[in-house]
Amino acid sequence: MQSRPLVGVIACRRNVEGHAAHVVTDKYLSTLRDYGLAPVVLPVWQDAVDGDLLAHLDGLLLTGSYSNVEPSRYGAERAPENTRDDLHRDAAALAWIPAAIASGQPLLGICRGFQELNVAYGGTLHQAVQNVPSLLDHREPDADYAARYAPAHDIVVEPGGRLAALYPESCSKVNSLHQQGIDRLGEGLCVEARAQDGLVEAVSVAAAKDFALAVQWHPEWVPAEHPLYHALFEGFAAACCGHRDRRARAVDPTTA
């Protein structure tokens, strides 16, 4: 019986009962399991990338978070609205991203993970999208979780791109739970979708050997009910399975 592909899931550094903890919310881990993947929580130490662990992983998931990438990472001064940092996660994510891409691992970024990918490729961020005159307010409503994660606005999928290859429709509704967003696109990234106000909502890594997509919305929220979210996780899972199979053949060329 084939083993499930192992997917590294970036953690956040939080204080839990007075102790430093490495935390991942269950919705990410459960969704990976639902798509046949085995999640492995990656601690966010400053020297986080472990070569032995990297060699056994079949994918990398960069989760969302209430914290933001520290503005000095992209050469900006802090805006008053930007109040929640996680410097340990910044260091870990910005080290794991190039390591995963270089090793040919599939990568999926979500919300903060989408922003981390942009910063990793030299891009910059709006720290308060709601204050940019041409852009909508993309923050979630002050309501229960069902309302916060409900579809909030349309996106237009770029034709001929990697996202379009997974999802055949030209547009879809997505949820919206973010204050920050892409300002200058990172070099080597391709726009895969935009909101109706022009804000970039999905990107891919042009030179990646395998699946390397990131989205500003939260597809881990009941993906079975949303064809676009489902297509993203199906595509990521298929890529992780392919990576597992190639890794197995490298160890034993007789593996089918």
Side-chain angles (χ1 to χ4, degrees):
M1 189 172 86
Q2 278 188 316
S3 61
R4 289 181 296 157
L6 298 177
V7 175
V9 183
I10 198 80
C12 294
R13 179 91 164 208
R14 302 269 174 82
N15 284 325
V16 177
E17 296 177 348
H19 296 276
H22 302 265
V23 176
V24 177
T25 51
D26 181 73
K27 61 191 173 119
Y28 299 104
L29 306 179
S30 297
T31 297
L32 292 177
R33 183 181 61 180
D34 290 344
Y35 282 84
L37 305 171
V40 178
V41 176
L42 301 176
V44 287
W45 294 310
Q46 300 263 347
D47 56 345
V49 179
D50 182 317
D52 291 334
L53 179 55
L54 179 68
H56 288 87
L57 293 177
D58 300 305
L60 175 66
L61 178 67
L62 303 168
T63 69
S65 175
Y66 282 108
S67 68
N68 297 314
V69 179
E70 210 279 324
S72 67
R73 291 281 185 177
Y74 48 94
E77 296 293 326
R78 182 182 300 277
E81 295 84 0
N82 190 354
T83 60
R84 300 186 72 165
D85 294 326
D86 186 341
L87 303 184
H88 291 86
R89 168 151 175 176
D90 290 349
L94 295 177
W96 273 107
I97 289 168
I101 295 295
S103 69
Q105 284 184 12
L107 178 151
L108 176 59
I110 294 173
C111 201
R112 190 195 212 268
F114 166 86
Q115 295 163 12
E116 288 166 341
L117 185 67
N118 191 57
V119 172
Y121 278 82
T124 63
L125 302 175
H126 294 298
Q127 295 179 58
V129 168
Q130 68 273 14
N131 293 340
V132 180
S134 62
L135 299 179
L136 300 172
D137 189 340
H138 287 254
R139 294 173 296 178
E140 69 270 28
D142 184 11
D144 62 19
Y145 280 106
R148 290 183 197 178
Y149 284 90
H153 65 72
D154 291 321
I155 61 163
V156 176
V157 178
E158 293 289 324
R162 298 190 181 187
L163 183 58
L166 299 174
Y167 182 72
E169 303 296 328
S170 61
C171 61
S172 178
K173 274 197 174 295
V174 298
N175 54 40
S176 189
L177 298 94
H178 61 103
Q179 174 175 264
Q180 301 206 133
I182 287 181
D183 180 7
R184 186 182 72 245
L185 186 69
E187 186 175 350
L189 300 182
C190 299
V191 175
E192 297 286 342
R194 293 182 184 272
Q196 66 262 41
D197 59 1
L199 188 67
V200 177
E201 287 275 335
V203 297
S204 63
V205 179
K209 302 171 189 174
D210 208 324
F211 186 109
L213 277 168
V215 300
Q216 182 62 86
W217 66 90
H218 282 265
E220 80 285 358
W221 187 260
V222 289
E225 297 179 10
H226 301 278
L228 173 59
Y229 304 1
H230 175 67
L232 271 169
F233 276 102
E234 272 208 325
F236 181 57
C240 293
C241 288
H243 188 276
R244 174 204 58 196
D245 295 344
R246 290 190 296 274
R247 188 163 56 82
R249 285 195 295 270
V251 174
D252 180 2
T254 66
T255 302

